[in-house]
């Protein structure tokens, strides 16, 4: 009897859909290994020897092994090879692509790949000073089937208030024989460069933009309101996503010490400082509140504690935080507001000093504490 592998999925699968894997063999033992593949070679992820029962080995919870490896390398898409080598010399091997998704979905992977960016949001309200990365998967394409990248930029002329939508194509996605993860970064400065020639130095502002790649689309509306809290986090597809939130933050500091008496003098030792921040968000739409639940379960959350510059490389340079407690009450009616409240702590136990480079006094935002 030859050794065979049976998977519950095809050549590409969501990580959450990797459920039951079985190996059929007549041998008394079988070595099962999992490798992750890249452009230069392969790396061993998992290896173990199993002893079949009635000629069958059943593997469960392989999704956790795959997801842990993809999280380690911050990959939304990876290719794996599963190999079974039996003691009688027979073997079987399967190669498959995995699209990270830590939640169950009724959609098939290709429906997500061809129709949406790797985010659950379709409409975003954003500030103008932060870049917005959008990840997507390019399916296998021939040269003639490349997908066009298009911006529909909504502008308003300042002196006349005339609204104008500027169509700005920006090249193609490329092509290839395999699935490939790509990123498109949208910045307000780049959009201004695309629009400048249409206004001939006349004053204008950008209100928003719709970005399209093939059938994928997302709309961004720019706001002048400064967010009270900014967080980078890895979303349900293991891609960095920006949360710009409005609300109130309460800082709570607790100092723990041990006491000892030495030479009739009370002394303190083993001092530790625990500082946590409780954030209460303002009114949110049901879609935004539901999207924020991904923040609470994210394995990588970073707080933006200073103005962004290009050397920050999106989220890598910002300090990590841990969300220790969260409450989310989301309802689809119009009678009550959606409530989001969570508590976070810095991963470093050493407290932040709070010192920052001072701005000019009249550039600071005034907040009336008694309003």
């Amino acid at each position: 009897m030859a050794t065979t592998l049976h998977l519950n999925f095809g050549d590409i699968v969501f990580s959450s859909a990797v459920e039951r894997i079985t190996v059929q063999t007549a041998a008394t033992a079988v070595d099962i290994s999992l490798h992750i593949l890249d452009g230069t070679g392969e790396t061993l992820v998992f290896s173990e020897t199993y002893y079949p029962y009635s000629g069958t080995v059943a593997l469960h919870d392989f999704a956790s092994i795959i997801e842990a490896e993809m999280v380690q390398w911050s990959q939304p898409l990876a290719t794996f090879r599963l190999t079974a080598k039996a003691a009688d010399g027979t073997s079987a091997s399967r190669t498959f692509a995995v699209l990270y998704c830590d939640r169950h979905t009724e959609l098939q992977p290709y429906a997500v790949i061809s129709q949406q960016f790797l985010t659950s949001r379709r409409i975003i309200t954003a500030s103008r000073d932060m870049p917005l990365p959008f990840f997507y998967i390019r399916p296998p394409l021939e040269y003639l089937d490349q997908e066009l990248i298009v911006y529909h930029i909504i502008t308003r002329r300042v002196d006349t208030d005339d609204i104008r939508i500027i169509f700005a194509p920006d090249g193609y996605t490329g092509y290839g024989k395999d699935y490939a993860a790509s990123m498109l970064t949208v910045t307000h400065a780049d959009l201004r460069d695309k629009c400048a020639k249409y206004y001939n130095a006349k004053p204008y502002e950008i209100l928003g933009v719709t970005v399209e790649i093939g059938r994928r689309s997302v709309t961004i509306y720019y706001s002048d309101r400064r967010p009270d809290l900014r967080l980078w986090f890895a979303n349900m597809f293991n891609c960095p996503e920006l949360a710009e939130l409005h609300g109130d933050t309460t800082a709570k500091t607790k100092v723990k010490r041990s006491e000892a008496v030495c030479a009739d003098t009370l002394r303190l030792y083993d001092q530790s400082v625990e500082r946590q921040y409780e954030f209460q968000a303002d009114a949110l739409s049901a879609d935004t509140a539901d999207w924020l639940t991904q923040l609470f379960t994210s394995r990588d959350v970073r707080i933006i504690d200073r103005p962004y510059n290009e050397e920050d490389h999106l989220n890598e340079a910002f300090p990590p935080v841990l969300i220790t407690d969260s409450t989310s009450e989301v309802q689809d009616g119009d009678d009550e507001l959606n409530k989001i409240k969570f508590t976070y702590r810095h991963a470093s136990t050493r407290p932040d000093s709070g010192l920052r480079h001072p701005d000019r006094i009249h550039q600071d935002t005034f907040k009336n504490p008694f309003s």
Side-chain angles (χ1 to χ4, degrees):
M1 176 181 176
T3 298
T4 57
L5 274 169
H6 300 279
L7 310 181
N8 69 310
F9 50 85
D11 293 335
I12 186 167
V13 61
F14 288 124
S15 61
S16 58
V18 178
E19 295 177 350
R20 184 179 177 85
I21 300 174
T22 58
V23 180
Q24 301 285 339
T25 183
T28 57
V30 59
D31 295 328
I32 298 177
S33 60
L34 180 71
H35 291 79
I36 186 170
L37 312 182
D38 55 32
T40 59
E42 57 185 46
T43 302
L44 180 64
V45 175
F46 172 85
S47 180
E48 189 59 80
T49 299
Y50 291 88
Y51 301 92
Y53 177 76
S54 298
T56 302
V57 172
L59 305 175
H60 297 275
D61 198 27
F62 239 59
S64 61
I65 298 174
I66 290 173
E67 289 180 343
E69 185 68 17
M70 296 178 72
V71 166
Q72 179 180 353
W73 299 104
S74 301
Q75 292 177 313
L77 178 72
T79 302
F80 291 88
R81 176 178 292 122
L82 183 66
T83 303
K85 294 183 179 180
D88 60 2
T90 59
S91 63
S93 180
R94 286 284 301 273
T95 299
F96 52 91
V98 176
L99 179 58
Y100 188 101
C101 182
D102 63 6
R103 304 179 181 212
H104 287 293
T105 174
E106 296 178 356
L107 298 177
Q108 294 299 315
Y110 191 79
V112 173
I113 290 171
S114 61
Q115 298 182 23
Q116 72 179 70
F117 291 94
L118 297 184
T119 175
S120 61
R121 293 196 292 177
R122 294 297 181 93
I123 299 176
I124 300 171
T125 301
S127 53
R128 292 178 169 84
D129 60 330
M130 290 293 294
L132 293 177
F134 294 102
F135 293 81
Y136 61 96
I137 304 299
R138 189 210 68 207
L141 292 173
E142 300 292 339
Y143 175 79
L144 296 177
D145 298 325
Q146 296 180 82
E147 296 172 298
L148 180 66
I149 302 172
V150 176
Y151 298 88
H152 302 269
I153 308 172
I154 308 169
T155 64
R156 182 181 70 86
R157 185 167 163 174
V158 175
D159 54 349
T160 63
D161 287 336
D162 291 338
I163 302 296
R164 185 177 185 180
I165 300 178
I166 296 175
F167 176 82
D170 193 24
Y172 293 88
T173 59
Y175 60 98
K177 296 181 180 180
D178 301 315
Y179 291 95
S182 301
M183 180 185 72
L184 177 69
T185 303
V186 178
T187 67
H188 186 267
D190 289 342
L191 296 178
R192 287 197 66 88
D193 291 341
K194 296 178 185 300
C195 298
K197 63 182 180 180
Y198 297 97
Y199 279 93
N200 298 321
K202 295 181 177 64
Y204 72 97
E205 65 177 344
I206 296 176
L207 304 179
V209 61
T210 295
V211 184
E212 293 183 349
I213 300 179
R215 298 171 64 185
R216 313 172 193 89
S217 69
V218 65
T219 299
I220 305 165
Y221 292 106
Y222 287 106
S223 171
D224 294 325
R225 186 182 178 188
R226 184 176 179 179
D228 298 304
L229 179 65
R230 284 171 166 170
L231 297 170
W232 283 114
F233 70 97
N235 65 10
M236 60 185 286
F237 296 107
N238 199 31
C239 296
E241 197 158 2
L242 178 65
E244 295 186 309
L245 305 175
H246 302 279
D248 298 317
T249 300
T250 302
K252 299 180 180 181
T253 304
K254 182 186 296 184
V255 181
K256 297 180 180 180
R257 304 183 181 95
S258 298
E259 300 178 355
V261 177
C262 180
D264 296 330
T265 302
L266 179 65
R267 299 178 183 273
L268 302 176
Y269 67 98
D270 288 345
Q271 176 174 295
S272 63
V273 180
E274 180 181 306
R275 186 163 193 175
Q276 62 183 16
Y277 302 86
E278 187 177 275
F279 182 81
Q280 174 71 58
D282 289 346
L284 300 170
S285 67
D287 290 340
T288 301
D290 185 63
W291 164 72
L292 281 175
T293 59
Q294 299 177 38
L295 168 66
F296 305 147
T297 59
S298 177
R299 304 189 190 189
D300 184 14
V301 181
R302 297 174 183 267
I303 188 168
I304 301 175
D305 57 353
R306 61 184 183 276
Y308 178 84
N309 62 73
E310 293 183 357
E311 295 180 356
D312 288 328
H313 301 294
L314 296 181
N315 66 333
E316 295 178 1
F318 296 105
V321 297
L322 303 176
I323 296 180
T324 58
D325 190 24
S326 62
T327 301
S328 175
E329 299 180 11
V330 182
Q331 53 89 33
D332 57 3
D334 299 326
D335 298 333
E336 297 182 4
L337 298 177
N338 295 302
K339 300 176 182 178
I340 294 292
K341 185 178 181 180
F342 60 92
T343 301
Y344 67 91
R345 292 182 57 188
H346 286 267
S348 173
T349 57
R350 191 176 296 273
D352 183 17
S353 67
L355 295 176
R356 299 292 183 269
H357 289 293
D359 294 328
R360 295 184 60 184
I361 186 171
H362 294 296
Q363 293 176 341
D364 290 340
T365 301
F366 174 73
K367 293 185 69 173
N368 186 357
F370 302 105
S371 60

